[in-house]
Amino acid sequence: MYDVVVIGCGPVGALTANLLGARGVRTLVVERGTEPHGQPRAFSCDDEALRIYQQAGLRAEVAEGMYPPSRAEYVNARGRVFAEIALDEVDFGLGAEPLHFFDQPALEAALRRGLDRFPHVTLRTGTELVGLRQQDDRVVATLRHGGRDTEVEARYVLGADGARSTTRTAAGIALTGSSAAEPWLAVSGEVEPGATRVATTRFVCDWRRPAFVSPGAGGTHRLEFMLRDGEDPKAMTDPATVRELVAPYVDPDRFTVTRAVVYTFHTLVADRWRAGRVFLLGDAAHQMPPFLGQGLCSGLRDAANLTWRIAQVLRGDADDALLDGYEAERRPHTEEMTRTSVRLGRVFLVRDRFAAALRDAVLRAAQAVPRVRRAVRHFEFKPRPVLPGHRAPVGTMFPQPDVAVGGTRVPLDDVLGAEFAVVGPGVDAATALGWRGPVSRFVRVVPPGSAAQGDITTVEDVDGALTAWFAEHGTDVVVLRPDRFVHATTVATRTAATGRGYGASSAQV
């Protein structure tokens, strides 16, 4: 019997399996296709996503070739900038730039190669889920391969099989929400050097045809155009039409189209993300508009939140109630991200000439106020990674600066490992000896040039970011969850809450 069966090996499913593999969980990954997806569908990720890839030990592999834009512009029908996000001035403290564009086939290939590191993780391609049957202590999944059905048993089944999730249907979970009435043409392609006519990431807020254009990873370009009323989706993918649309932004004679498809975005969420021993992640659980670029990122956050919980329960370090914290934490943040995306879309998709002129004037006037201009320029309208129902710093994501270990500068998470971590200037050997919580890494933070203690991992706070954080929050120790959210800030109050048997309320921290 497997510990976990993951249905779907797209980016979310593959990342989920890597995180489970890193924690020793015996995992079967089931994928209907026989090869990684060859089309560049997903396009962007953020700093939090890169930190999650890092937790799986794959940051360098997936980041290779990614393109971090320096700014994003909002322009009107005449190409005049009325708002700008200065991405090269934004640092949310998570150890990476706030926005990256990537190539999905390359990403999926890197994630699948990552699975080869784990002898306890198996990938079966050309295999689809056709049925689920739950029992008290396991799930029986019926899988079809080559026209033949077989049954496998697992403690849990995780559905990361996309918007048309078979897992969701088999578990009897409904979707609620709406689909947008506006179809879009998405064009991806390779552009030759010097053939780019608009070199910035740009939201074209043209009331006649809103569009999004941007350079991408590895000499690629992504362009999306909203269809007008009455336009035939099939005709819009005609090479001549695509050529006409992309011409203002790239030289069509030196632009090779690799994908041109019409899609309609959705605002949908599953009624519940858990049905007994079955869980939903990514698009299987929620779908949102693309205007904030957070669809895939939200699925990666799901994986980071759920996988450590499952590992804790499987090891016997926590009760089943810990798993209820997954939806309790992830749903509010996902819904807030969806609302922000919808609001951004309302600004972006104004279809009336006079309303668009009013929007441009209002936004330009508002940014004459320094505080408003700074909020836009520094991307402050993006929802932060904060867990619901807790008082900061508990429930916030801990920063990830570089630290020095033995004279070598590395990102903090590379030192913390895959489990809980107890970190701070106040951490010493006695802290580790007295610990009664789950398996944890103990890390002492010291100023640059300090002598390391031989009996505990010691990192030098080379830029002072950690020292400033501890001073701001009035503590010298912090307990971090495996997904790097702050669990507690004192040793005395946390051992009972992190040991075996802690319940849903504390589990959601």
Side-chain angles (χ1 to χ4, degrees):
M1 183 169 68
Y2 291 96
D3 293 325
V4 175
V5 173
V6 178
I7 309 299
C9 197
V12 174
L15 185 274
T16 299
N18 274 284
L19 289 171
L20 292 169
R23 297 185 171 103
V25 177
R26 187 166 181 256
T27 304
L28 171 65
V29 191
V30 174
E31 170 54 43
R32 179 181 301 174
T34 57
E35 299 291 338
H37 199 280
Q39 296 293 322
R41 297 174 296 177
F43 177 59
S44 67
C45 69
D46 60 11
D47 48 354
E48 192 176 346
L50 279 183
R51 192 174 189 181
I52 294 169
Y53 290 133
Q54 182 181 352
Q55 292 167 22
L58 293 172
R59 175 167 172 169
E61 289 78 1
V62 302
E64 184 176 359
M66 282 188 177
Y67 168 66
S70 61
R71 68 183 189 273
E73 300 172 338
Y74 289 81
V75 305
N76 62 17
R78 298 181 179 179
R80 181 181 179 186
V81 177
F82 63 82
E84 181 181 60
I85 303 173
L87 294 165
D88 55 357
E89 298 177 8
V90 177
D91 182 1
F92 292 134
L94 304 185
E97 296 92 340
L99 180 63
H100 297 76
F101 295 135
F102 61 86
D103 176 67
Q104 181 170 346
L107 171 68
E108 290 197 22
L111 291 173
R112 290 197 184 190
R113 287 194 300 270
L115 299 177
D116 296 337
R117 299 173 296 168
F118 309 114
H120 49 282
V121 176
T122 302
L123 170 62
R124 292 187 191 173
T125 59
T127 304
E128 61 180 318
L129 174 73
V130 295
L132 287 175
R133 187 172 74 254
Q134 296 206 48
Q135 300 177 358
D136 289 342
D137 63 344
R138 67 193 64 191
V139 185
V140 181
T142 303
L143 306 178
R144 181 168 296 164
H145 177 80
R148 180 183 176 185
D149 291 356
T150 59
E151 291 186 341
V152 298
E153 296 182 342
R155 293 284 300 279
Y156 300 99
V157 169
L158 310 186
D161 45 349
R164 297 186 178 93
S165 173
T166 303
T167 310
R168 186 181 63 235
T169 301
I173 300 175
L175 278 176
T176 57
S178 62
S179 296
E182 305 94 351
W184 284 71
L185 171 67
V187 179
S188 299
E190 298 175 356
V191 60
E192 296 178 11
T196 299
R197 292 171 174 168
V198 173
T200 57
T201 298
R202 177 171 290 187
F203 295 87
V204 183
C205 302
D206 185 342
W207 61 274
R208 295 163 298 187
R209 190 188 298 281
F212 167 81
V213 298
S214 179
T220 63
H221 225 79
R222 178 68 164 248
L223 309 97
E224 301 195 2
F225 306 93
M226 188 176 179
L227 271 63
R228 295 169 179 163
D229 294 341
E231 288 183 324
D232 179 15
K234 184 177 180 180
M236 292 298 292
T237 62
D238 182 83
T241 303
V242 171
R243 178 184 177 88
E244 179 182 354
L245 290 171
V246 305
Y249 309 105
V250 296
D251 182 349
D253 291 327
R254 295 188 287 165
F255 179 67
T256 302
V257 176
T258 56
R259 181 176 183 257
V261 63
V262 173
Y263 73 95
T264 299
F265 61 81
H266 308 282
T267 304
L268 300 168
V269 63
D271 287 345
R272 52 199 170 110
W273 299 4
R274 178 184 188 182
R277 292 180 172 271
V278 178
F279 295 82
L280 303 178
L281 305 86
D283 283 353
H286 46 77
Q287 299 155 47
M288 67 181 66
F291 306 116
L292 203 56
Q294 288 294 307
L296 173 61
C297 296
S298 292
L300 302 180
R301 293 186 189 99
D302 294 344
N305 188 292
L306 180 59
T307 51
W308 72 265
R309 297 174 186 276
I310 286 178
Q312 291 277 309
V313 173
L314 288 171
R315 281 200 299 256
D317 289 339
D319 293 336
D320 182 79
L322 177 65
L323 301 177
D324 291 331
Y326 163 59
E327 182 177 350
E329 290 182 352
R330 287 293 306 128
R331 180 184 284 270
H333 185 268
T334 300
E335 291 178 344
E336 183 182 5
M337 197 70 75
T338 300
R339 288 191 296 269
T340 302
S341 296
V342 170
R343 287 194 294 266
L344 197 59
R346 288 173 181 161
V347 173
F348 184 34
L349 299 180
V350 172
R351 300 300 305 280
D352 177 81
R353 178 178 185 177
F354 299 103
L358 178 63
R359 172 204 60 199
D360 300 349
V362 169
L363 286 174
R364 280 197 299 268
Q367 291 181 85
V369 179
R371 182 66 188 91
V372 174
R373 184 174 183 274
R374 186 167 65 252
V376 173
R377 185 175 180 83
H378 290 167
F379 208 9
E380 293 179 12
F381 54 87
K382 178 188 176 185
R384 297 291 183 266
V386 177
L387 304 180
H390 303 291
R391 184 176 179 179
V394 173
T396 63
M397 182 165 279
F398 195 67
Q400 186 191 199
D402 281 354
V403 295
V405 181
T408 301
R409 189 171 177 129
V410 297
L412 175 64
D413 286 4
D414 286 357
V415 182
L416 300 185
E419 303 297 341
F420 276 78
V422 184
V423 182
V427 175
D428 55 19
T431 308
L433 288 173
W435 182 248
R436 297 296 180 268
V439 174
S440 301
R441 179 75 56 86
F442 296 87
V443 178
R444 181 175 175 83
V445 178
V446 299
S450 301
Q453 294 187 7
D455 53 358
I456 197 166
T457 300
T458 301
V459 300
E460 296 180 38
D461 183 20
V462 292
D463 296 324
L466 295 177
T467 301
W469 190 95
F470 284 106
E472 177 185 355
H473 296 292
T475 184
D476 65 353
V477 64
V478 65
V479 181
L480 303 180
R481 302 187 334 183
D483 56 5
R484 301 307 163 227
F485 282 92
V486 176
H487 181 72
T489 56
T490 62
V491 174
T493 61
R494 65 181 167 259
T495 52
T498 55
R500 181 178 179 181
Y502 62 102
S505 60
S506 61
Q508 293 170 15
V509 175

